[in-house]
Amino acid sequence: MNKIDTLLMTNKVLITCGTGGVGKTTLSCALGVRAAELGRKTIVITIDPAKRLATALGLDSLTHDATEIALKDVPGKLFALMPDTQRSFEEFFDAISPTSQISEKIKSNPIFQILGQEFSGAHEYMALQKLSKVYNSGEYDLIILDTPPNRQALAFFEAPRLLKKFFDEKWIRHLIVPSSRLAAGSIRKALEMLEKLTGVGFITHLISFAASVFETEKKFTERLEQVIHVLESKETGFIFVATAKPELAYEMNHFISELERRGYRFNGLIFNRSLSKLAVSQDLPASAALIIQQWIKKEELTLSRLSSESIAIIPECSRDIHSIGDLTHVARLFVH
Ligand SMILES: Nc1ncnc2c1ncn2[C@@H]1O[C@H](COP(=O)(O)OP(=O)(O)O)[C@@H](O)[C@H]1O
Ligand SMILES: [Mg+2]
């Protein structure tokens, strides 16, 4: 059995990482098609499918729930899901708030709206929450998680830690639950001054928001631990998707050591958009042929440094991959 099939058959969770634009979403969906071909009941949690791919997957109406993708003559099943961050946030606080009043207080706070849209870790964290929820449902043999677009491949792992920091930060706790009357008085004075600078309401909203969120601390931490449990599981693996570039070996080593530091498992590199099999036509102008040959050389050099990590090489396809047929085509390329 080839490396990709072995992973699809033995893992319960596969997480595709890599910088933006390398083909994570495309390959996550193609891996899903391959897993269904192998008989697995699979779900792909994708964050940002290109418009036409989303349409092909039936995800363009932002249903937020799993949609089955009709595949012909395959023994398994394939589902896709695109979490809506704002809605996931609402559901999340509904689930972890001790009372519905607290949850309403959080959701109606203007800071909540800003966090859902602007906070850079929100998409990452909500994707992880969705992963944990789908994982705990036990409904699928395999979950493939496509990570959100980010220039930094590792930003994804920072989200849980960043959120946990919120509860650990002494100054935030101090601000909300001052240790003495004197401290409370001084803090109020300082805040009144700040409010003058930031505009009426902002600081008040911020404090009120933080205080409500603190009420969810116990369950929030429990959820965070569930997420970390899934990420640390022996049945969860991380795949790095990349295209040729000189600094790839360095990036990969950094990625692998960061995974190891956190106790996560590295499952290998998928090298995408390879030009190595491109036939250089005789009709091409000499200058164009030279550029392509140089590119292929650069790619060979990159790959020679990473041969032990590489689990698949996917060639550059002649057009964008945006239909089920295209995904099936790429799924075949994993095998041959
Ligand atoms: N092997 C490939 N050949 C041709 N086009 C590809 C290939 N892989 C990805 N693409 C195209 O590249 C674009 C970016 O891919 P995408 O999967 O959205 O990247 P990411 O999720 O890493 O940001 C899409 O238009 C996709 O169709
Ligand atoms: Mg993507």
Side-chain angles (χ1 to χ4, degrees), residues 293-333:
Q293 271 152 5
Q294 278 173 348
W295 184 263
I296 292 173
K297 267 218 182 90
K298 185 173 97 174
E299 188 183 302
E300 279 167 359
L301 183 68
T302 310
L303 265 177
S304 68
R305 293 179 183 148
L306 294 161
S307 53
S308 55
E309 281 89 10
S310 166
I311 51 171
I313 300 176
I314 303 298
E316 174 73 31
C317 299
S318 53
R319 59 192 172 96
D320 268 1
I321 299 152
H322 50 60
S323 68
I324 305 293
D326 295 340
L327 291 177
T328 306
H329 170 72
V330 177
R332 295 283 134 71
L333 297 170

mmCIF file of all heavy atoms in Angstrom, residues 293-333:
data_model
loop_
_atom_site.group_PDB
_atom_site.id
_atom_site.type_symbol
_atom_site.label_atom_id
_atom_site.label_comp_id
_atom_site.label_asym_id
_atom_site.label_seq_id
_atom_site.Cartn_x
_atom_site.Cartn_y
_atom_site.Cartn_z
ATOM 1 N N GLN A 293 13.478 24.682 -17.638
ATOM 2 C CA GLN A 293 14.511 23.745 -17.201
ATOM 3 C C GLN A 293 15.171 24.190 -15.893
ATOM 4 O O GLN A 293 15.437 23.380 -15.010
ATOM 5 C CB GLN A 293 15.570 23.569 -18.291
ATOM 6 C CG GLN A 293 15.197 22.446 -19.244
ATOM 7 C CD GLN A 293 15.776 22.646 -20.629
ATOM 8 O OE1 GLN A 293 16.541 23.585 -20.852
ATOM 9 N NE2 GLN A 293 15.403 21.776 -21.546
ATOM 10 N N GLN A 294 15.366 25.495 -15.776
ATOM 11 C CA GLN A 294 15.972 26.013 -14.534
ATOM 12 C C GLN A 294 15.037 25.772 -13.346
ATOM 13 O O GLN A 294 15.463 25.421 -12.257
ATOM 14 C CB GLN A 294 16.263 27.506 -14.672
ATOM 15 C CG GLN A 294 17.569 27.745 -15.403
ATOM 16 C CD GLN A 294 17.791 29.218 -15.695
ATOM 17 O OE1 GLN A 294 16.892 30.043 -15.553
ATOM 18 N NE2 GLN A 294 18.999 29.545 -16.118
ATOM 19 N N TRP A 295 13.775 25.975 -13.632
ATOM 20 C CA TRP A 295 12.775 25.772 -12.579
ATOM 21 C C TRP A 295 12.779 24.307 -12.124
ATOM 22 O O TRP A 295 12.757 23.996 -10.935
ATOM 23 C CB TRP A 295 11.387 26.191 -13.098
ATOM 24 C CG TRP A 295 10.364 26.087 -12.010
ATOM 25 C CD1 TRP A 295 9.515 25.052 -11.779
ATOM 26 C CD2 TRP A 295 10.108 27.034 -10.972
ATOM 27 N NE1 TRP A 295 8.748 25.289 -10.674
ATOM 28 C CE2 TRP A 295 9.091 26.490 -10.143
ATOM 29 C CE3 TRP A 295 10.647 28.284 -10.645
ATOM 30 C CZ2 TRP A 295 8.595 27.155 -9.033
ATOM 31 C CZ3 TRP A 295 10.149 28.943 -9.523
ATOM 32 C CH2 TRP A 295 9.142 28.381 -8.749
ATOM 33 N N ILE A 296 12.832 23.408 -13.113
ATOM 34 C CA ILE A 296 12.833 21.972 -12.793
ATOM 35 C C ILE A 296 14.072 21.610 -11.974
ATOM 36 O O ILE A 296 14.009 20.862 -10.999
ATOM 37 C CB ILE A 296 12.728 21.115 -14.086
ATOM 38 C CG1 ILE A 296 11.340 21.317 -14.709
ATOM 39 C CG2 ILE A 296 12.986 19.643 -13.807
ATOM 40 C CD1 ILE A 296 11.133 20.668 -16.062
ATOM 41 N N LYS A 297 15.195 22.196 -12.330
ATOM 42 C CA LYS A 297 16.454 21.947 -11.571
ATOM 43 C C LYS A 297 16.295 22.398 -10.117
ATOM 44 O O LYS A 297 16.690 21.705 -9.188
ATOM 45 C CB LYS A 297 17.598 22.754 -12.211
ATOM 46 C CG LYS A 297 18.381 21.978 -13.230
ATOM 47 C CD LYS A 297 19.878 22.357 -13.115
ATOM 48 C CE LYS A 297 20.681 21.620 -14.162
ATOM 49 N NZ LYS A 297 20.771 22.376 -15.408
ATOM 50 N N LYS A 298 15.706 23.584 -9.968
ATOM 51 C CA LYS A 298 15.523 24.136 -8.623
ATOM 52 C C LYS A 298 14.637 23.182 -7.793
ATOM 53 O O LYS A 298 14.892 22.913 -6.634
ATOM 54 C CB LYS A 298 14.858 25.520 -8.748
ATOM 55 C CG LYS A 298 14.716 26.251 -7.437
ATOM 56 C CD LYS A 298 14.215 27.655 -7.628
ATOM 57 C CE LYS A 298 12.732 27.737 -7.409
ATOM 58 N NZ LYS A 298 12.161 29.063 -7.433
ATOM 59 N N GLU A 299 13.623 22.680 -8.493
ATOM 60 C CA GLU A 299 12.692 21.771 -7.822
ATOM 61 C C GLU A 299 13.405 20.471 -7.423
ATOM 62 O O GLU A 299 13.229 19.977 -6.305
ATOM 63 C CB GLU A 299 11.554 21.472 -8.793
ATOM 64 C CG GLU A 299 10.435 20.711 -8.155
ATOM 65 C CD GLU A 299 9.357 20.382 -9.162
ATOM 66 O OE1 GLU A 299 8.801 21.316 -9.771
ATOM 67 O OE2 GLU A 299 9.081 19.195 -9.347
ATOM 68 N N GLU A 300 14.232 19.938 -8.323
ATOM 69 C CA GLU A 300 14.960 18.695 -8.021
ATOM 70 C C GLU A 300 15.858 18.880 -6.806
ATOM 71 O O GLU A 300 15.941 18.013 -5.937
ATOM 72 C CB GLU A 300 15.812 18.261 -9.223
ATOM 73 C CG GLU A 300 14.988 17.525 -10.265
ATOM 74 C CD GLU A 300 15.733 17.366 -11.581
ATOM 75 O OE1 GLU A 300 16.875 17.850 -11.693
ATOM 76 O OE2 GLU A 300 15.149 16.768 -12.499
ATOM 77 N N LEU A 301 16.490 20.062 -6.753
ATOM 78 C CA LEU A 301 17.379 20.352 -5.632
ATOM 79 C C LEU A 301 16.578 20.406 -4.323
ATOM 80 O O LEU A 301 16.964 19.825 -3.311
ATOM 81 C CB LEU A 301 18.098 21.685 -5.884
ATOM 82 C CG LEU A 301 19.116 22.081 -4.833
ATOM 83 C CD1 LEU A 301 20.313 21.135 -4.864
ATOM 84 C CD2 LEU A 301 19.582 23.517 -5.051
ATOM 85 N N THR A 302 15.437 21.112 -4.370
ATOM 86 C CA THR A 302 14.591 21.221 -3.170
ATOM 87 C C THR A 302 14.192 19.826 -2.703
ATOM 88 O O THR A 302 14.288 19.494 -1.527
ATOM 89 C CB THR A 302 13.294 22.015 -3.495
ATOM 90 O OG1 THR A 302 13.649 23.218 -4.143
ATOM 91 C CG2 THR A 302 12.483 22.304 -2.265
ATOM 92 N N LEU A 303 13.747 19.005 -3.673
ATOM 93 C CA LEU A 303 13.236 17.676 -3.311
ATOM 94 C C LEU A 303 14.334 16.752 -2.818
ATOM 95 O O LEU A 303 14.100 15.920 -1.939
ATOM 96 C CB LEU A 303 12.541 17.058 -4.515
ATOM 97 C CG LEU A 303 11.034 17.271 -4.536
ATOM 98 C CD1 LEU A 303 10.437 16.703 -5.790
ATOM 99 C CD2 LEU A 303 10.396 16.618 -3.309
ATOM 100 N N SER A 304 15.538 16.897 -3.382
ATOM 101 C CA SER A 304 16.616 15.995 -2.972
ATOM 102 C C SER A 304 16.934 16.186 -1.489
ATOM 103 O O SER A 304 17.379 15.281 -0.811
ATOM 104 C CB SER A 304 17.862 16.229 -3.824
ATOM 105 O OG SER A 304 18.388 17.506 -3.518
ATOM 106 N N ARG A 305 16.664 17.377 -0.985
ATOM 107 C CA ARG A 305 16.928 17.631 0.433
ATOM 108 C C ARG A 305 15.806 17.105 1.325
ATOM 109 O O ARG A 305 15.920 17.095 2.534
ATOM 110 C CB ARG A 305 17.052 19.137 0.688
ATOM 111 C CG ARG A 305 18.275 19.740 0.041
ATOM 112 C CD ARG A 305 18.306 21.228 0.311
ATOM 113 N NE ARG A 305 19.424 21.852 -0.349
ATOM 114 C CZ ARG A 305 19.404 23.097 -0.808
ATOM 115 N NH1 ARG A 305 18.337 23.834 -0.667
ATOM 116 N NH2 ARG A 305 20.463 23.604 -1.385
ATOM 117 N N LEU A 306 14.687 16.737 0.691
ATOM 118 C CA LEU A 306 13.518 16.376 1.484
ATOM 119 C C LEU A 306 12.974 14.993 1.138
ATOM 120 O O LEU A 306 11.832 14.677 1.447
ATOM 121 C CB LEU A 306 12.405 17.415 1.240
ATOM 122 C CG LEU A 306 12.708 18.814 1.741
ATOM 123 C CD1 LEU A 306 11.820 19.833 1.095
ATOM 124 C CD2 LEU A 306 12.546 18.858 3.254
ATOM 125 N N SER A 307 13.810 14.171 0.488
ATOM 126 C CA SER A 307 13.289 12.900 -0.027
ATOM 127 C C SER A 307 12.743 12.003 1.085
ATOM 128 O O SER A 307 11.770 11.284 0.882
ATOM 129 C CB SER A 307 14.354 12.179 -0.838
ATOM 130 O OG SER A 307 15.507 12.075 -0.046
ATOM 131 N N SER A 308 13.333 12.076 2.282
ATOM 132 C CA SER A 308 12.859 11.155 3.324
ATOM 133 C C SER A 308 11.494 11.588 3.871
ATOM 134 O O SER A 308 10.740 10.773 4.397
ATOM 135 C CB SER A 308 13.884 11.041 4.448
ATOM 136 O OG SER A 308 14.164 12.330 4.937
ATOM 137 N N GLU A 309 11.168 12.876 3.757
ATOM 138 C CA GLU A 309 9.876 13.348 4.294
ATOM 139 C C GLU A 309 8.747 13.266 3.277
ATOM 140 O O GLU A 309 7.581 13.223 3.639
ATOM 141 C CB GLU A 309 9.981 14.817 4.739
ATOM 142 C CG GLU A 309 10.640 15.027 6.082
ATOM 143 C CD GLU A 309 12.136 15.182 5.953
ATOM 144 O OE1 GLU A 309 12.603 15.321 4.811
ATOM 145 O OE2 GLU A 309 12.836 15.154 6.984
ATOM 146 N N SER A 310 9.119 13.236 1.993
ATOM 147 C CA SER A 310 8.091 13.341 0.954
ATOM 148 C C SER A 310 7.209 12.092 0.866
ATOM 149 O O SER A 310 7.716 10.979 0.793
ATOM 150 C CB SER A 310 8.805 13.597 -0.381
ATOM 151 O OG SER A 310 7.921 13.382 -1.427
ATOM 152 N N ILE A 311 5.886 12.281 0.886
ATOM 153 C CA ILE A 311 4.985 11.121 0.775
ATOM 154 C C ILE A 311 4.212 11.143 -0.544
ATOM 155 O O ILE A 311 3.596 10.158 -0.916
ATOM 156 C CB ILE A 311 3.989 11.027 1.973
ATOM 157 C CG1 ILE A 311 3.257 12.366 2.206
ATOM 158 C CG2 ILE A 311 4.711 10.587 3.233
ATOM 159 C CD1 ILE A 311 2.127 12.267 3.202
ATOM 160 N N ALA A 312 4.224 12.255 -1.241
ATOM 161 C CA ALA A 312 3.567 12.303 -2.558
ATOM 162 C C ALA A 312 4.042 13.537 -3.314
ATOM 163 O O ALA A 312 4.347 14.570 -2.706
ATOM 164 C CB ALA A 312 2.052 12.361 -2.408
ATOM 165 N N ILE A 313 4.097 13.395 -4.631
ATOM 166 C CA ILE A 313 4.431 14.545 -5.477
ATOM 167 C C ILE A 313 3.276 14.708 -6.463
ATOM 168 O O ILE A 313 2.954 13.797 -7.216
ATOM 169 C CB ILE A 313 5.757 14.311 -6.242
ATOM 170 C CG1 ILE A 313 6.901 14.105 -5.228
ATOM 171 C CG2 ILE A 313 6.057 15.493 -7.173
ATOM 172 C CD1 ILE A 313 8.234 13.775 -5.851
ATOM 173 N N ILE A 314 2.642 15.864 -6.396
ATOM 174 C CA ILE A 314 1.489 16.120 -7.279
ATOM 175 C C ILE A 314 1.921 17.132 -8.344
ATOM 176 O O ILE A 314 2.394 18.221 -8.005
ATOM 177 C CB ILE A 314 0.285 16.686 -6.473
ATOM 178 C CG1 ILE A 314 -0.115 15.727 -5.350
ATOM 179 C CG2 ILE A 314 -0.906 17.009 -7.368
ATOM 180 C CD1 ILE A 314 -0.583 14.368 -5.810
ATOM 181 N N PRO A 315 1.767 16.774 -9.599
ATOM 182 C CA PRO A 315 2.209 17.691 -10.648
ATOM 183 C C PRO A 315 1.298 18.910 -10.798
ATOM 184 O O PRO A 315 0.157 18.904 -10.329
ATOM 185 C CB PRO A 315 2.145 16.837 -11.910
ATOM 186 C CG PRO A 315 1.184 15.754 -11.596
ATOM 187 C CD PRO A 315 1.221 15.529 -10.114
ATOM 188 N N GLU A 316 1.809 19.906 -11.438
ATOM 189 C CA GLU A 316 1.010 21.078 -11.827
ATOM 190 C C GLU A 316 -0.025 20.572 -12.838
ATOM 191 O O GLU A 316 0.326 19.927 -13.824
ATOM 192 C CB GLU A 316 1.941 22.110 -12.482
ATOM 193 C CG GLU A 316 1.262 23.322 -13.076
ATOM 194 C CD GLU A 316 0.752 24.298 -12.015
ATOM 195 O OE1 GLU A 316 1.355 24.399 -10.942
ATOM 196 O OE2 GLU A 316 -0.253 24.974 -12.293
ATOM 197 N N CYS A 317 -1.290 20.825 -12.557
ATOM 198 C CA CYS A 317 -2.320 20.375 -13.501
ATOM 199 C C CYS A 317 -2.511 21.476 -14.542
ATOM 200 O O CYS A 317 -2.167 22.642 -14.295
ATOM 201 C CB CYS A 317 -3.614 20.081 -12.774
ATOM 202 S SG CYS A 317 -3.415 18.766 -11.563
ATOM 203 N N SER A 318 -3.093 21.109 -15.662
ATOM 204 C CA SER A 318 -3.168 22.089 -16.745
ATOM 205 C C SER A 318 -4.203 23.182 -16.475
ATOM 206 O O SER A 318 -4.261 24.170 -17.185
ATOM 207 C CB SER A 318 -3.465 21.378 -18.059
ATOM 208 O OG SER A 318 -4.596 20.580 -17.880
ATOM 209 N N ARG A 319 -5.035 22.989 -15.452
ATOM 210 C CA ARG A 319 -5.993 24.053 -15.112
ATOM 211 C C ARG A 319 -6.316 23.979 -13.615
ATOM 212 O O ARG A 319 -5.915 23.021 -12.941
ATOM 213 C CB ARG A 319 -7.271 23.906 -15.933
ATOM 214 C CG ARG A 319 -7.978 22.585 -15.723
ATOM 215 C CD ARG A 319 -9.050 22.415 -16.778
ATOM 216 N NE ARG A 319 -9.642 21.106 -16.753
ATOM 217 C CZ ARG A 319 -10.759 20.800 -16.133
ATOM 218 N NH1 ARG A 319 -11.419 21.714 -15.472
ATOM 219 N NH2 ARG A 319 -11.240 19.575 -16.180
ATOM 220 N N ASP A 320 -7.022 24.979 -13.128
ATOM 221 C CA ASP A 320 -7.429 24.995 -11.722
ATOM 222 C C ASP A 320 -8.257 23.756 -11.417
ATOM 223 O O ASP A 320 -8.908 23.209 -12.297
ATOM 224 C CB ASP A 320 -8.280 26.240 -11.442
ATOM 225 C CG ASP A 320 -7.430 27.400 -10.965
ATOM 226 O OD1 ASP A 320 -6.206 27.225 -10.880
ATOM 227 O OD2 ASP A 320 -8.009 28.469 -10.693
ATOM 228 N N ILE A 321 -8.242 23.389 -10.122
ATOM 229 C CA ILE A 321 -8.959 22.169 -9.734
ATOM 230 C C ILE A 321 -10.237 22.598 -9.037
ATOM 231 O O ILE A 321 -10.195 23.086 -7.900
ATOM 232 C CB ILE A 321 -8.049 21.337 -8.803
ATOM 233 C CG1 ILE A 321 -6.785 20.962 -9.583
ATOM 234 C CG2 ILE A 321 -8.751 20.093 -8.288
ATOM 235 C CD1 ILE A 321 -5.577 20.767 -8.738
ATOM 236 N N HIS A 322 -11.357 22.511 -9.759
ATOM 237 C CA HIS A 322 -12.560 23.054 -9.135
ATOM 238 C C HIS A 322 -13.818 22.226 -9.363
ATOM 239 O O HIS A 322 -14.927 22.731 -9.208
ATOM 240 C CB HIS A 322 -12.785 24.505 -9.562
ATOM 241 C CG HIS A 322 -12.708 24.717 -11.032
ATOM 242 N ND1 HIS A 322 -13.546 24.081 -11.900
ATOM 243 C CD2 HIS A 322 -11.874 25.473 -11.773
ATOM 244 C CE1 HIS A 322 -13.232 24.464 -13.119
ATOM 245 N NE2 HIS A 322 -12.218 25.296 -13.069
ATOM 246 N N SER A 323 -13.654 20.945 -9.706
ATOM 247 C CA SER A 323 -14.848 20.107 -9.811
ATOM 248 C C SER A 323 -14.559 18.768 -9.147
ATOM 249 O O SER A 323 -13.398 18.456 -8.842
ATOM 250 C CB SER A 323 -15.198 19.877 -11.281
ATOM 251 O OG SER A 323 -14.197 19.065 -11.876
ATOM 252 N N ILE A 324 -15.617 17.999 -8.940
ATOM 253 C CA ILE A 324 -15.424 16.679 -8.329
ATOM 254 C C ILE A 324 -14.541 15.826 -9.255
ATOM 255 O O ILE A 324 -13.669 15.084 -8.794
ATOM 256 C CB ILE A 324 -16.798 15.978 -8.101
ATOM 257 C CG1 ILE A 324 -17.717 16.885 -7.272
ATOM 258 C CG2 ILE A 324 -16.620 14.607 -7.457
ATOM 259 C CD1 ILE A 324 -17.290 17.133 -5.858
ATOM 260 N N GLY A 325 -14.763 16.000 -10.578
ATOM 261 C CA GLY A 325 -13.944 15.264 -11.548
ATOM 262 C C GLY A 325 -12.463 15.603 -11.397
ATOM 263 O O GLY A 325 -11.605 14.729 -11.398
ATOM 264 N N ASP A 326 -12.169 16.906 -11.220
ATOM 265 C CA ASP A 326 -10.775 17.335 -11.036
ATOM 266 C C ASP A 326 -10.184 16.722 -9.764
ATOM 267 O O ASP A 326 -9.035 16.283 -9.736
ATOM 268 C CB ASP A 326 -10.680 18.871 -10.896
ATOM 269 C CG ASP A 326 -11.093 19.590 -12.173
ATOM 270 O OD1 ASP A 326 -11.079 18.963 -13.244
ATOM 271 O OD2 ASP A 326 -11.429 20.791 -12.078
ATOM 272 N N LEU A 327 -10.996 16.703 -8.690
ATOM 273 C CA LEU A 327 -10.504 16.157 -7.419
ATOM 274 C C LEU A 327 -10.219 14.667 -7.552
ATOM 275 O O LEU A 327 -9.231 14.156 -7.014
ATOM 276 C CB LEU A 327 -11.518 16.394 -6.296
ATOM 277 C CG LEU A 327 -11.719 17.830 -5.847
ATOM 278 C CD1 LEU A 327 -12.811 17.912 -4.792
ATOM 279 C CD2 LEU A 327 -10.421 18.422 -5.279
ATOM 280 N N THR A 328 -11.101 13.974 -8.298
ATOM 281 C CA THR A 328 -10.899 12.536 -8.510
ATOM 282 C C THR A 328 -9.596 12.313 -9.283
ATOM 283 O O THR A 328 -8.838 11.394 -8.991
ATOM 284 C CB THR A 328 -12.104 11.950 -9.281
ATOM 285 O OG1 THR A 328 -13.279 12.312 -8.559
ATOM 286 C CG2 THR A 328 -12.036 10.445 -9.404
ATOM 287 N N HIS A 329 -9.344 13.202 -10.239
ATOM 288 C CA HIS A 329 -8.106 13.118 -11.014
ATOM 289 C C HIS A 329 -6.893 13.253 -10.080
ATOM 290 O O HIS A 329 -5.948 12.455 -10.139
ATOM 291 C CB HIS A 329 -8.118 14.228 -12.081
ATOM 292 C CG HIS A 329 -6.807 14.400 -12.780
ATOM 293 N ND1 HIS A 329 -6.334 13.480 -13.690
ATOM 294 C CD2 HIS A 329 -5.863 15.370 -12.686
ATOM 295 C CE1 HIS A 329 -5.148 13.884 -14.124
ATOM 296 N NE2 HIS A 329 -4.850 15.024 -13.530
ATOM 297 N N VAL A 330 -6.933 14.246 -9.187
ATOM 298 C CA VAL A 330 -5.806 14.444 -8.258
ATOM 299 C C VAL A 330 -5.702 13.253 -7.293
ATOM 300 O O VAL A 330 -4.598 12.798 -6.959
ATOM 301 C CB VAL A 330 -5.937 15.779 -7.484
ATOM 302 C CG1 VAL A 330 -4.809 15.947 -6.477
ATOM 303 C CG2 VAL A 330 -5.944 16.957 -8.443
ATOM 304 N N ALA A 331 -6.862 12.737 -6.864
ATOM 305 C CA ALA A 331 -6.851 11.583 -5.951
ATOM 306 C C ALA A 331 -6.086 10.414 -6.579
ATOM 307 O O ALA A 331 -5.346 9.701 -5.902
ATOM 308 C CB ALA A 331 -8.281 11.169 -5.619
ATOM 309 N N ARG A 332 -6.256 10.237 -7.903
ATOM 310 C CA ARG A 332 -5.515 9.169 -8.615
ATOM 311 C C ARG A 332 -4.015 9.424 -8.574
ATOM 312 O O ARG A 332 -3.221 8.508 -8.472
ATOM 313 C CB ARG A 332 -5.935 9.082 -10.082
ATOM 314 C CG ARG A 332 -7.324 8.666 -10.333
ATOM 315 C CD ARG A 332 -7.473 7.157 -10.152
ATOM 316 N NE ARG A 332 -8.671 6.874 -9.361
ATOM 317 C CZ ARG A 332 -9.907 7.020 -9.802
ATOM 318 N NH1 ARG A 332 -10.115 7.350 -11.044
ATOM 319 N NH2 ARG A 332 -10.934 6.776 -9.028
ATOM 320 N N LEU A 333 -3.649 10.720 -8.625
ATOM 321 C CA LEU A 333 -2.221 11.063 -8.661
ATOM 322 C C LEU A 333 -1.516 10.701 -7.338
ATOM 323 O O LEU A 333 -0.310 10.517 -7.300
ATOM 324 C CB LEU A 333 -2.026 12.555 -8.946
ATOM 325 C CG LEU A 333 -2.538 13.044 -10.303
ATOM 326 C CD1 LEU A 333 -2.511 14.554 -10.379
ATOM 327 C CD2 LEU A 333 -1.702 12.455 -11.430
#
